[in-house]
Amino acid sequence: MNKFLSLLGFDPAKHSVRVEMMAGLTTFLTMSYILAVNPLILCDAGMDKGAVFSATVIAAAIATMVMAFYAKMPFALASGMGINAFFAYTLVIVMGYSWQQALAAVFIEGIVFIFLTIFRVREAIVNAIPLNLRYSISVGIGLFIAFIGLKNGGLVVSSEATMTSLGAWTPTTLIAAGGILLGAVLLALKVKGALFYTIIIMTVIGIPFGVTKIPEEFTVVSMPHSIEPVAFHIDFSRFISLDVEYYIVVFTLLFMDLFDTIGTLIGAATGAGMADKKTGRIHHLNKALMADAVGTTVGAICGTSTVTTYVESTTGILEGGRTGLTSLTTAMLFLAALFFSPVFLMIPAAATTSALFLVGVMMLRSIVHIDFIDFTESMPCFVTMLMMPFTASISEGIVLGMLSYVIVKVCTGRYKELSAVVYILSVFFLLKYIAPLL
């Protein structure tokens, strides 16, 4: 048993099997909403809903197992939110590509990522990000996922007058708010598994109020849906025909995945104290990036949109997950979801609000390391932190933060503080915004 656990980076002297497995379960419950949401989104692109559900599960399980055994890190992966919407509503519905052609773009992106990771280009990009910006990424992600939690629980709603406002008090919002308070109390009392217990308790409380919905023909076990309708349906015709617009699509997917993943890894690892205190570098980073690249490639083959490292992994990390046993537990639960999907899909978004919000609170601790005295450091950090929740994009926060960092440093004569990689990245960032205007 110990030999097997060592393959996951588990050391009995430093880690606890119970804590690691509880962390993996917490991560799964927090991100399990993707099993309900992803099929609905890709279904709008004309894909088979049941097949996409199975493809989502299989791709997430494989990618997360690669993370467990190869990277030995407690991160979980699945089809990325935001990128799946770009896949369905922009590439297919607006731009007119078939979903098969869109899957080809995802597959090509994954292959490119694998090569970038092999030659350590992605790792070089991560390490080039200034230390203060890394801390701000962690804080920005905290604000972003807290906002997602509040939105999912109905506590924050859109408003024509003020853009956002407080939602009405309903059973759903009361469950969400109650979960935040209960979770905060349990965390303050240092209860192990506080976030997981909160999710379960609020799910049960939601049953009599109709927040947790039990299907009429409820069955605990169901046979998995076949992935045949979507698996291996990849159309490379646009790529072979040298379609420039299609190449831009591939680059866009590449860009979104790259910086969402980088932001998540930096933010989660830094916030949980898993990065080197002096350099800010993350151990086994390149292996974690490889798991992400493989996940994207496998996901396209199975029939789902880009697979990426999930920011919700922070819920498990902050429950004590530190090794691949955490991610392996999450992967096994994904596979179990193939047979117990009715049970897993019962957990309402309101029940996971507490986990997302409270993890956001915990991730704010990195803000104390930011140099707020030096305005050339603090202003870009503020841009990074603010733009993640305001643009609903981790990658946009990183890009705008980095660009403002370079511009302020150069304009104040401190251009020597910037590395060559930072300048190269800035050029690509500018092209990202300029290209659509040409």
Side-chain angles (χ1 to χ4, degrees):
M1 183 64 176
N2 287 339
K3 187 175 182 181
F4 173 76
L5 292 175
S6 67
L7 297 175
L8 302 166
F10 183 92
D11 183 350
K14 299 178 180 178
H15 309 114
S16 162
V17 171
R18 179 185 175 280
V19 170
E20 294 285 330
M21 294 185 73
M22 183 66 75
L25 180 57
T26 301
T27 295
F28 174 77
L29 289 175
T30 310
M31 64 185 288
S32 61
Y33 65 86
I34 192 62
L35 299 181
V37 176
N38 200 52
L40 289 174
I41 291 176
L42 299 193
C43 180
D44 289 340
M47 303 178 73
D48 183 87
K49 185 178 178 182
V52 171
F53 174 85
S54 293
T56 302
V57 170
I58 294 170
I62 292 174
T64 305
M65 280 193 280
V66 174
M67 182 69 76
F69 287 102
Y70 183 62
K72 307 181 193 306
M73 296 184 74
F75 296 104
L77 302 91
S79 300
M81 287 295 294
I83 303 181
N84 54 4
F86 177 77
F87 178 102
Y89 303 120
T90 301
L91 299 189
V92 178
I93 295 177
V94 175
M95 300 182 71
Y97 294 111
S98 67
W99 59 263
Q100 293 91 338
Q101 291 168 340
L103 280 179
V106 173
F107 179 81
I108 295 167
E109 172 220 337
I111 295 298
V112 172
F113 258 168
I114 289 175
F115 281 103
L116 289 179
T117 305
I118 290 173
F119 292 105
R120 296 186 174 274
V121 174
R122 295 174 80 183
E123 186 176 14
I125 292 173
V126 175
N127 292 331
I129 297 176
L131 194 56
N132 278 310
L133 280 185
R134 295 189 195 190
Y135 290 128
S136 67
I137 288 171
S138 178
V139 176
I141 291 176
L143 295 173
F144 181 35
I145 63 174
F147 180 74
I148 291 174
L150 293 173
K151 187 173 180 294
N152 288 346
L155 290 169
V156 172
V157 297
S158 60
S159 168
E160 292 186 4
T162 59
M163 291 186 286
T164 59
S165 65
L166 182 68
W169 291 110
T170 65
T172 297
T173 53
L174 288 172
I175 290 292
I180 291 173
L181 295 175
L182 174 62
V185 171
L186 294 179
L187 286 171
L189 294 174
K190 302 187 184 303
V191 175
K192 291 293 184 181
L195 298 178
F196 166 65
Y197 293 136
T198 301
I199 291 172
I200 296 302
I201 291 170
M202 301 319 293
T203 297
V204 173
I205 292 176
I207 294 175
F209 295 99
V211 178
T212 303
K213 302 185 185 301
I214 302 177
E216 292 182 7
E217 298 181 1
F218 179 75
T219 57
V220 175
V221 180
S222 64
M223 292 301 295
H225 296 277
S226 170
I227 63 173
E228 193 278 329
V230 296
F232 297 99
H233 289 270
I234 302 176
D235 180 0
F236 293 103
S237 59
R238 289 295 186 100
F239 181 77
I240 296 172
S241 65
L242 304 179
D243 185 337
V244 176
E245 183 183 59
Y246 190 77
Y247 291 164
I248 294 174
V249 164
V250 173
F251 173 78
T252 302
L253 284 170
L254 190 73
F255 181 87
M256 292 172 69
D257 188 16
L258 173 63
F259 286 97
D260 272 357
T261 300
I262 286 176
T264 298
L265 290 173
I266 290 177
T270 303
M274 295 172 66
D276 187 280
K277 293 182 179 179
K278 292 183 178 180
T279 64
R281 295 194 175 191
I282 303 167
H283 304 296
H284 305 298
L285 174 61
N286 205 57
K287 291 183 177 181
L289 293 172
M290 180 59 80
D292 185 272
V294 171
T296 292
T297 307
V298 171
I301 293 172
C302 291
T304 187
S305 52
T306 302
V307 172
T308 186
T309 305
Y310 256 58
V311 68
E312 284 84 354
S313 300
T314 51
T315 59
I317 291 171
L318 292 171
E319 282 287 354
R322 290 295 183 273
T323 74
L325 182 56
T326 294
S327 46
L328 178 61
T329 301
T330 304
M332 291 299 100
L333 288 170
F334 267 116
L335 289 178
L338 281 172
F339 301 93
F340 298 94
S341 57
V343 176
F344 291 119
L345 295 178
M346 275 176 50
I347 298 173
T352 64
T353 291
S354 58
L356 295 172
F357 183 87
L358 293 171
V359 166
V361 174
M362 295 175 191
M363 293 186 74
L364 288 180
R365 66 184 62 166
S366 297
I367 201 168
V368 300
H369 300 297
I370 298 174
D371 181 2
F372 284 106
I373 303 300
D374 186 345
F375 204 75
T376 66
E377 298 284 338
S378 60
M379 180 273 187
C381 287
F382 187 65
V383 170
T384 303
M385 291 185 286
L386 212 59
M387 296 311 290
M388 285 188 188
F390 282 3
T391 63
S393 171
I394 294 173
S395 60
E396 294 291 0
I398 295 174
V399 169
L400 294 171
M402 184 73 86
L403 282 175
S404 60
Y405 188 88
V406 171
I407 292 171
V408 172
K409 288 287 187 181
V410 170
C411 291
T412 54
R414 296 170 61 176
Y415 55 88
K416 291 184 179 180
E417 296 179 17
L418 306 175
S419 67
V421 176
V422 170
Y423 283 116
I424 293 171
L425 285 175
S426 298
V427 172
F428 280 106
F429 293 163
L430 286 173
L431 288 175
K432 173 184 181 291
Y433 294 120
I434 294 173
L437 302 176
L438 299 178

